[in-house]
Amino acid sequence: MRASQLPLFTSKDDPKDAQVASHRLLSRAGFIRKQGSGLYVYMPFGDMVHRKIEQIVREEMNRFGGIEVTLPVITPAELWQESGRWDLMGKEMMRMQDRHEVGYALGPTHEEAMTDLARSFLQSYKQLPVNLYQIGRKYRDEIRPRYGLIRCREFVMKDAYSFHVDDASLDETYQKMREAYRAIFERCGLKTIPVEADSGNMGGSGSEEFMVASQIGEETLLLCSDEKCGYRSNQEKTAFIENPKKHGSTEPTNRGISPSADAAVEFETGAAKTIEEVSKLTGSEPRNFIKAVIFEDKENIFLCFIQGDRDLSEIKMKNLAGATEYWPAGEETIKALTGAEPGYAGPQGLKVKDGDTVAKKTLRIFFDRHLKGRSGLIAGANKTGFHTKNVAEGRDFQSGEGHDLIVSHAGDICPQCKKAELTETRGIEVGHIFKLGKKYSQKMNLSVLDPNGKPLTPTMGCYGIGVGRTMATSVEQNHDERGIIWHRNLSPFVVYLVSLAKGEAEVAFVDKLYATLTAQGISVYLDDRDERAGVKFNDAELVGFPFIVTVGKKTLESGKIELKLRRSGEKLEVSEAELIGKIQSL
RNA sequence: CGGGCUGUGGCGCAGUGGUAGCGCACACGCCUGGGGGGCGUGGGGUCGCUGGUUCAAAUCCAGUCAGCCCGACCA
């Protein structure tokens, strides 16, 4: 292809809203153009890369047993109502009505639509397993679209949904998808870190995310520092184990301000409410406090106690409580619960217990497991202006075995090997596979006959890859100060041919080289613009095709063609035959 | 949803009440010709929108819309 037929859309300046390399470079190199908040046009080169990724995804999905279909982008509200998600999805789902005022969603995901499709033709266990996928547009009204293609409101996703007679069959497909994903990202030249993940709202058990390590990542990953262990997990999911270094003992016990034998006593703290304030006042470190975090939903109040130097994981709490929509408890609720102003909740001396009705809601109390056996603690006294010290678990309150409720961080102990410390990395999710279970098949009455002629509800898996995000993260991972460095499998063209030809002879030489390379099956972009050399070199490096070939007066004089490798910057002077050999072998 | 900032030519920006400017880009001419070149000429803007104050508003005031940034909270 020639520049005279397929123009470049490069620019010298970064768009002003570009914060990250991929956004900056994809815009400057003319691959994408913003049309609205979180909405991007894929320009010719961008479109070409996008299609290449789609094709790789398609080939690998097909190789591992996927069947491609295309669902409507718009899904009827009816289907979402069946699954119950019409009310659960919240504002992130874009909704619309037709002229008859019938509701629809611009699909943010397609579990319902695909399950509906499946039930329309699945009748017998003999038809299972089946793995249906599509490569289609998704719409999410993101709170804050940002980072260009990394978080936008319209994007292309490959989403697959598999249906099975039992868990063994689901597991088999799940493992195939793990392989397929590894193959896909490998072919894209993208280094991903597969991590254990929370399965979130989707429900279900097994879940693995494919993350690209990046400082701009919106999720935090925790990796075991012992490579032999190899544990990798999304922070949301990582079980918290406190590092003994934190308290100088391997036993998670008594490090309070006074011996556990002392009775618990109230003391006045006045306006000091937060742990930080009371910590200063008493000289006791935050770890010796009990932090109370209170949420509520329509039916319940969730009262969570954890140690004071840590944060409550809302995700863990939510999963434990089975809550979907919840919010921080209001002042009235807290008063009804503790009898005090907010800021003074504690587990001891509480007049209500787990399961009681408080303010017309069911109280549910959760303790973090690290509170078990501890003493010498400081907690709110459930009395405005007072805290209690020398609080001991087992005597002043009962935590039971407790739950895993705390957000893990670097420096904590790996929950897998239980020895090494965890380290932290930021990551961008590009793929996610998980076992859904029967959530959708049940709610939507998907059923087949089993060998005994009895109804059987298939179990499901679900597997997504963000195509645009794969493109963006590939740039995040592969660029330098001059521009993008495409992996050959994704690059719009393999060769950027810089023509500096002037006279007829030179032009003829370039045309012949272009024809020769093309005939060898090498895709070439010929920059035949009437521009200065510098402009062409700069654009060549900005758009980032793997090979930059320069032909001009020097070429004719020496008989040698200049080949520059975009990634290494290495420059070679080669004959035409060598050139072809190099391009085909590298 | 809350807070902050910004809306002026295609892009990036300046312009504190008195006839709308700069750089880049664009068009034309000449020079130049292996790393975003030079000189000259030229075209292009209802200053986001609505209302108000004023003899006079891009500029001050109110509202509104849009974009960007930060936060989404642990009492």
Side-chain angles (χ1 to χ4, degrees):
Chain A
M1 191 58 73
R2 292 164 183 265
S4 48
Q5 299 167 272
L6 177 66
L8 288 152
F9 295 93
T10 53
S11 150
K12 271 195 228 183
D13 299 309
D14 293 335
K16 106 179 147 166
D17 60 338
Q19 314 274 310
V20 301
S22 63
H23 186 193
R24 233 181 58 230
L25 294 172
L26 286 169
S27 297
R28 272 193 56 201
F31 285 59
I32 59 170
R33 191 154 292 203
K34 186 163 87 163
Q35 198 157 60
S37 178
L39 301 170
Y40 288 87
V41 176
Y42 282 82
M43 299 295 281
F45 286 170
D47 211 39
M48 290 168 88
V49 175
H50 199 276
R51 282 169 207 268
K52 291 197 175 206
I53 297 170
E54 284 181 18
Q55 192 52 31
I56 289 170
V57 169
R58 179 173 287 122
E59 285 170 17
E60 294 302 327
M61 286 303 293
N62 292 347
R63 190 156 75 89
F64 286 94
I67 298 168
E68 187 172 7
V69 296
T70 300
L71 294 172
V73 159
I74 298 168
T75 52
E78 223 175 46
L79 296 178
W80 295 93
Q81 281 154 354
E82 263 190 83
S83 73
R85 287 209 291 182
W86 184 253
D87 298 321
L88 289 181
M89 287 301 277
K91 290 189 174 166
E92 206 165 275
M93 187 156 79
M94 298 218 191
R95 296 156 205 256
M96 55 181 283
Q97 290 190 335
D98 66 13
R99 63 175 75 196
H100 309 296
E101 297 185 358
V102 175
Y104 296 88
L106 283 177
T109 173
H110 285 83
E111 281 81 6
E112 284 82 356
M114 203 64 98
T115 305
D116 178 62
L117 169 66
R119 72 182 166 185
S120 73
F121 72 89
L122 286 181
Q123 287 161 11
S124 158
Y125 74 95
K126 291 180 190 165
Q127 292 170 284
L128 300 180
V130 65
N131 186 4
L132 300 168
Y133 79 95
Q134 64 163 347
I135 297 174
R137 303 212 172 210
K138 300 280 181 269
Y139 296 83
R140 291 185 191 170
D141 194 356
E142 293 287 350
I143 295 176
R144 254 184 79 190
R146 64 180 130 182
Y147 301 152
L149 296 186
I150 289 171
R151 180 167 293 272
C152 41
R153 296 196 292 182
E154 174 180 306
F155 56 96
V156 171
M157 177 164 147
K158 184 284 300 175
D159 49 327
Y161 306 85
S162 66
F163 302 85
H164 310 270
V165 292
D166 56 24
D167 288 344
S169 165
L170 169 58
D171 194 57
E172 202 176 305
T173 296
Y174 182 85
Q175 296 306 333
K176 273 189 196 163
M177 287 297 105
R178 293 185 72 200
E179 271 186 74
Y181 275 40
R182 281 167 171 74
I184 287 165
F185 294 123
E186 169 82 32
R187 281 180 67 184
C188 290
L190 199 59
K191 290 183 206 81
T192 58
I193 306 173
V195 301
E196 272 190 34
D198 180 70
S199 25
N201 283 347
M202 305 296 182
S205 41
S207 173
E208 192 170 272
E209 283 172 335
F210 289 76
M211 311 291 296
V212 174
S214 165
Q215 291 186 335
I216 61 158
E218 299 185 275
E219 304 198 42
T220 302
L221 316 180
L222 294 172
L223 317 176
C224 182
S225 55
D226 181 357
E227 277 180 29
K228 273 180 290 192
C229 168
Y231 181 78
R232 298 157 150 190
S233 164
N234 192 315
Q235 184 179 39
E236 293 173 349
K237 159 103 181 186
T238 313
F240 169 56
I241 301 177
E242 191 174 36
N243 192 330
K245 278 190 207 158
K246 263 280 206 190
H247 50 90
S249 144
T250 50
E251 293 302 310
T253 52
N254 188 9
R255 284 281 139 182
I257 53 171
S258 70
S260 60
D262 291 357
V265 279
E266 280 179 12
F267 63 110
E268 197 163 351
T269 45
K273 285 200 279 197
T274 65
I275 286 171
E276 202 184 330
E277 286 160 359
V278 181
S279 170
K280 264 190 202 144
L281 203 70
T282 59
S284 181
E285 57 179 87
R287 185 174 175 271
N288 297 323
F289 283 70
I290 298 174
K291 181 187 277 189
V293 189
I294 311 164
F295 290 96
E296 59 185 318
D297 66 8
K298 282 184 192 143
E299 283 98 35
N300 308 282
I301 298 171
F302 307 110
L303 172 57
C304 308
F305 293 109
I306 61 174
Q307 71 185 46
D309 62 336
R310 286 303 192 133
D311 295 323
L312 177 80
S313 162
E314 285 190 35
I315 288 165
K316 289 178 182 178
M317 186 278 293
K318 192 175 88 175
N319 288 345
L320 181 63
T324 47
E325 245 184 296
Y326 61 92
W327 52 91
E331 204 173 313
E332 292 311 310
T333 307
I334 293 171
K335 279 185 189 162
L337 176 62
T338 64
E341 297 287 320
Y344 301 99
Q348 77 300 327
L350 207 55
K351 291 187 184 66
V352 287
K353 58 181 194 303
D354 190 59
D356 282 1
T357 301
V358 176
K360 293 184 188 154
K361 295 183 180 182
T362 306
L363 175 66
R364 300 180 61 191
I365 303 180
F366 302 116
F367 291 95
D368 184 77
R369 59 189 182 201
H370 287 73
L371 289 175
K372 185 176 164 62
R374 292 200 56 193
S375 58
L377 297 164
I378 298 177
N382 299 309
K383 185 169 158 190
T384 304
F386 288 85
H387 282 75
T388 306
K389 59 186 171 184
N390 300 335
V391 175
E393 195 280 325
R395 182 189 68 190
D396 304 312
F397 70 94
Q398 314 290 331
S399 75
E401 284 308 306
H403 304 279
D404 176 34
L405 285 173
I406 286 174
V407 181
S408 298
H409 284 290
D412 293 339
I413 296 299
C414 168
Q416 183 168 286
C417 66
K418 303 202 165 54
K419 281 186 216 123
E421 289 186 11
L422 294 169
T423 57
E424 245 176 67
T425 308
R426 303 288 289 175
I428 301 166
E429 180 186 348
V430 290
H432 196 165
I433 59 177
F434 47 86
K435 298 181 181 176
L436 273 181
K438 298 184 178 178
K439 183 173 167 185
Y440 296 96
S441 47
Q442 238 154 28
K443 289 214 164 154
M444 300 185 68
N445 294 316
L446 166 62
S447 153
V448 297
L449 291 182
D450 74 7
N452 305 314
K454 296 267 158 46
L456 179 151
T457 303
T459 189
M460 294 170 59
C462 170
Y463 323 92
I465 289 181
V467 178
R469 216 179 241 197
T470 299
M471 175 167 157
T473 50
S474 170
V475 176
E476 288 293 330
Q477 219 167 63
N478 301 287
H479 70 271
D480 60 20
E481 64 287 351
R482 298 189 153 272
I484 304 171
I485 305 172
W486 289 110
H487 186 276
R488 164 177 205 138
N489 292 345
L490 304 190
S491 185
F493 295 90
V494 173
V495 171
Y496 192 110
L497 178 53
V498 177
S499 167
L500 302 178
K502 278 185 288 290
E504 254 178 57
E506 292 174 22
V507 171
F509 185 91
V510 171
D511 285 348
K512 190 170 148 277
L513 181 63
Y514 174 73
T516 308
L517 291 174
T518 304
Q520 289 293 319
I522 297 166
S523 66
V524 181
Y525 184 74
L526 170 55
D527 190 348
D528 57 356
R529 293 176 298 171
D530 179 21
E531 283 287 356
R532 314 192 117 247
V535 172
K536 297 188 182 189
F537 289 136
N538 279 308
D539 277 344
E541 279 160 340
L542 180 58
V543 301
F545 307 162
F547 299 98
I548 299 168
V549 175
T550 305
V551 177
K553 193 169 64 177
K554 283 189 195 170
T555 315
L556 285 197
E557 285 166 3
S558 66
K560 293 284 187 185
I561 298 164
E562 282 174 41
L563 170 65
K564 185 167 178 180
L565 309 182
R566 176 64 184 89
R567 187 172 293 274
S568 64
E570 191 184 353
K571 269 192 198 170
L572 307 165
E573 304 246 318
V574 294
S575 68
E576 189 177 292
E578 287 168 332
L579 177 71
I580 292 166
K582 277 277 181 202
I583 292 169
Q584 285 176 336
S585 67
L586 286 176

